[in-house]
Amino acid sequence: SSYNDVTTTESDAFAITAGISFAYPLGGEVYHVDSLTPSFTVKWNTIGDNVSQVKLEYWNSDDNAGAGGWRVIESNIANPNHGSGAPNENTYTWDTLSAEPLPVNLAATNIKFRLTSSVPDQPATAIESSTFVICGDLAVTAPTQGVIWTADGLTANTISWDVYGPTNNL
């Protein structure tokens, strides 16, 4: 038998978007706030060469200050590299000079990032990192490396340290 009828079917509208994946953090890392001007470098790969800028946000489920939700770190970060692997990674250093500064007093056990294509605006590209930890840190200032103290019962030595970020128990 012969089939001469042609059936035409049209799909619903859809979008073709770039692919974004985190290279760092991958999740489970512990970042120590180790100075008064800390920095944290976020790394990602973008598949597809049309995305020229991305938006980076962070979310902290431990946020008891009432802000909650996603907080924009930067809206239009350059995204010049496209492709997979380390040679094609894009990076952004989140620090105290960013539009949304890295908080020096933040201690969080459940923080994560979200990246989204901002130029062109493609909300469907939003990708979240796995959660990681941010906490305070200590830096011993005395004794310094290589110094030898003599335990002679006469000399008094002082151990000292600086504290960065919140540390609950010292």
Side-chain angles (χ1 to χ4, degrees):
S1 50
S2 156
Y3 292 96
N4 292 327
D5 293 336
V6 176
T7 303
T8 302
T9 303
E10 191 173 304
S11 72
D12 292 334
F14 65 96
I16 298 175
T17 62
I20 300 173
S21 61
F22 279 94
Y24 187 83
L26 295 173
E29 293 89 355
V30 176
Y31 171 73
H32 294 270
V33 174
D34 59 0
S35 73
L36 296 175
T37 56
S39 64
F40 186 101
T41 301
V42 181
K43 300 177 183 180
W44 68 94
N45 291 93
T46 307
I47 305 299
D49 60 4
N50 192 35
V51 176
S52 61
Q53 295 179 342
V54 295
K55 175 173 66 173
L56 178 64
E57 302 165 281
Y58 82 97
W59 180 80
N60 172 14
S61 70
D62 298 333
D63 187 355
N64 295 324
W70 289 99
R71 299 175 102 170
V72 176
I73 297 171
E74 292 281 347
S75 294
N76 293 303
I77 300 169
N79 188 63
N81 302 321
H82 303 93
S84 60
N88 296 309
E89 286 177 354
N90 292 286
T91 62
Y92 177 79
T93 301
W94 185 27
D95 57 26
T96 55
L97 301 175
S98 299
E100 172 68 28
L102 191 153
V104 295
N105 62 347
L106 177 64
T109 58
N110 226 1
I111 192 165
K112 60 184 171 179
F113 291 115
R114 179 168 67 183
L115 275 167
T116 310
S117 172
S118 60
V119 177
D121 183 22
Q122 293 181 342
T125 60
I127 182 81
E128 297 177 13
S129 73
S130 295
T131 58
F132 61 97
V133 174
I134 291 181
C135 62
D137 204 2
L138 302 172
V140 175
T141 55
T144 58
Q145 186 173 0
V147 170
I148 298 173
W149 286 350
T150 303
D152 59 9
L154 303 172
T155 307
N157 294 304
T158 302
I159 299 171
S160 62
W161 60 89
D162 290 331
V163 178
Y164 303 105
T167 55
N168 295 335
N169 297 311
L170 297 176

